[in-house]
Every structure is written in structure tokens, then in C-alpha cells.
Amino acid sequence: MQFEKQKAEMIKRLQSRGIHDAAVLRALKVVPREKFVPIAFIHQVYEEKALPIGFGQTISHPYTVARMTELLNIKRADKILEIGTGSGYQCAILCEMGAQVFTVEIDRTLANRARKLLEEHHYYFAMKIGDGNLGWKACAPFDAIIFTAGATNIPDAVVKQLKIHGKLLIPIGRRKTKTLMLYINKGDKLEQIVIDQFTFVELRNEKKI
Ligand code: SAH
């Protein structure tokens, strides 16, 4: 199956929705999203959909990935912590942007599958299987931390793992639709910016595991 046409259409659609960062658009063009979804959904892979990846989880909508990546304003070699590796697609996009990616996934099966896939595509990243609510203290501080699952509040541990001026991008809320929030570490306080409403799967916490 040829995906180039569908991918070009996806990129045009994202541009018309306001994604203009050239590096983000380039990464979306380079990463083969079709490799990160189960074969049963491959024909829908470039549509504006979150598709099942097993274990009740989903690969995020293309617009969600694009918008979140753009908001991070990544510079080469930035250290980024991703919570919720899932399919590995967002991790691949961040690697393509030149970031040093640290990714945490709570589900061992998903983590191992994503690791294998990312390695097959020669992406260089660090992965940990565990609870992302704790961040990744040993590798902190980070230029940015991105949660790809929705939380009810900001996990305390991760704020301490941000560099000064570091960004925390996290969907917050108790309903299926969450408010994507951007926090910037100003040293003595977190500056808060409300981005938009998005649908995300729930962030699990240790008590629920
Ligand atoms: N970034 C992913 C999106 C995956 S959906 C992609 O590009 O495909 C969110 C993921 O977060 C799921 O894989 C889920 O298992 C994981 N997750 C949920 N709670 C978590 C937690 N506390 N720590 C780490 N990962 C978590």
C-alpha cells in the first residue's frame, strides 16, 4: 500500500489547521505513521483519528501530535521526557526533531513493541518501563516534559525535573476531553497557559495498576 498521497493530504490538512513550523512538518513527513498502527487500521492511519494500538490505548490524532510537538519549540539536542510511549510514534517525531528523547511507558508489552519498532527504524532514544508520574529523576533535568495521557493534576515529582524555563505539556481533566495545559518553569512559580481541548486516554497511577 502506498501512503505518500495520504500523508501529503494529512500535512496539507494540518497546515490548514495552523501547523506551520517547518521542522514539525518535516518530521511528520519523514516518520512512517503506518508502521506504528496495527495492520487492521492501516488504511485509516493518515485520517484525523486516534487509532487503537491494543491494551485499551491509542496512537494520538495527527493534529494532537503536531500541535504538541510545535508547542515544545524543540531545539537540537534538547532533553525531552515523554510520559506514555504507546506506539512510539510521538517518540519518533521528537527524535526526528533532533531531541534527546527519554520515554517512559507503564505497559511492558507496549513498551517492548515500541522499543523494537523504534530501533528497527534506527531511532536513538532512552526508554524506561515504569510509572511516568514519577518522571525520570536519574536523567533530569529536562528542557521539556510531555504527557501523552491525561492526568487529573500535575504529578509533583515531574515539576522538580524541569530546567529553569523548561516546559511541561500536560492534558488535565476528569472527563474524556481534557484541557491541554502548558506550564513554564519560572523558578519560583509555574507560568500557566491554557492551550485547547483534546481527547486523551487516562494516565494510570500506581494505585490503579
Ligand atoms: N505517545 C503515544 C500515545 C500513547 S497513549 C503514541 O505516540 O502512540 C498513552 C500511553 O500512556 C499508553 O501507552 C499508556 O499505557 C501510557 N501510560 C498511561 N499511564 C502511564 C503512566 N502512569 N506512566 C507511563 N505511561 C503511562
Side-chain angles (χ1 to χ4, degrees):
M1 201 167 170
Q2 268 302 343
F3 292 99
E4 288 312 309
K5 193 164 163 264
Q6 288 101 307
K7 196 195 277 182
E9 278 163 11
M10 173 191 79
I11 288 172
K12 249 199 230 153
R13 205 175 56 232
L14 294 174
Q15 283 175 305
S16 74
R17 286 188 68 183
I19 305 296
H20 296 307
D21 185 311
V24 175
L25 293 167
R26 184 201 150 271
L28 289 161
K29 204 169 165 190
V30 173
V31 177
R33 185 170 161 94
E34 66 275 14
K35 303 283 185 207
F36 294 86
V37 301
I39 198 94
F41 299 102
I42 208 162
H43 56 290
Q44 303 176 63
V45 69
Y46 286 105
E47 293 174 17
E48 196 49 43
K49 284 184 176 164
L51 300 169
I53 55 171
F55 308 94
Q57 304 304 322
T58 55
I59 180 173
S60 302
H61 290 70
Y63 179 73
T64 308
V65 175
R67 185 79 191 278
M68 288 179 93
T69 309
E70 197 169 68
L71 285 164
L72 293 178
N73 199 10
I74 296 167
K75 293 179 296 306
R76 268 203 177 265
D78 270 1
K79 276 176 70 180
I80 314 269
L81 175 66
E82 178 196 25
I83 307 301
T85 318
S87 67
Y89 178 68
Q90 174 77 71
C91 176
I93 295 280
L94 297 172
C95 290
E96 281 294 346
M97 302 283 297
Q100 294 179 63
V101 187
F102 298 78
T103 184
V104 181
E105 171 57 55
I106 205 163
D107 185 295
R108 185 171 293 276
T109 312
L110 283 175
N112 287 333
R113 193 172 71 190
R115 189 201 310 268
K116 190 166 170 279
L117 200 57
L118 289 161
E119 283 174 357
E120 274 168 17
H121 286 81
H122 308 288
Y123 289 113
Y124 186 70
F125 60 96
M127 179 186 275
K128 188 167 91 163
I129 299 172
D131 184 3
N133 285 292
L134 305 173
W136 195 336
K137 201 173 166 196
C139 298
F142 300 99
D143 294 286
I145 301 178
I146 168 176
F147 278 75
T148 69
T152 46
N153 52 357
I154 306 174
D156 291 338
V158 297
V159 177
K160 298 189 192 90
Q161 297 176 22
L162 270 182
K163 287 187 190 173
I164 297 285
H165 305 302
K167 297 191 181 93
L168 168 65
L169 197 49
I170 183 166
I172 303 262
R174 294 189 183 275
R175 295 166 194 269
K176 201 164 172 239
T177 303
K178 319 268 183 225
T179 306
L180 182 61
M181 302 293 301
L182 174 64
Y183 295 94
I184 302 169
N185 183 9
K186 295 285 181 182
D188 52 346
K189 64 175 172 74
L190 280 181
E191 185 185 315
Q192 171 185 306
I193 303 165
V194 178
I195 304 298
D196 211 340
Q197 303 290 310
F198 289 89
T199 311
F200 282 93
V201 295
E202 304 287 330
L203 184 74
R204 287 160 58 182
N205 61 51
E206 277 184 310
K207 284 172 239 120
K208 289 188 199 156
I209 296 170

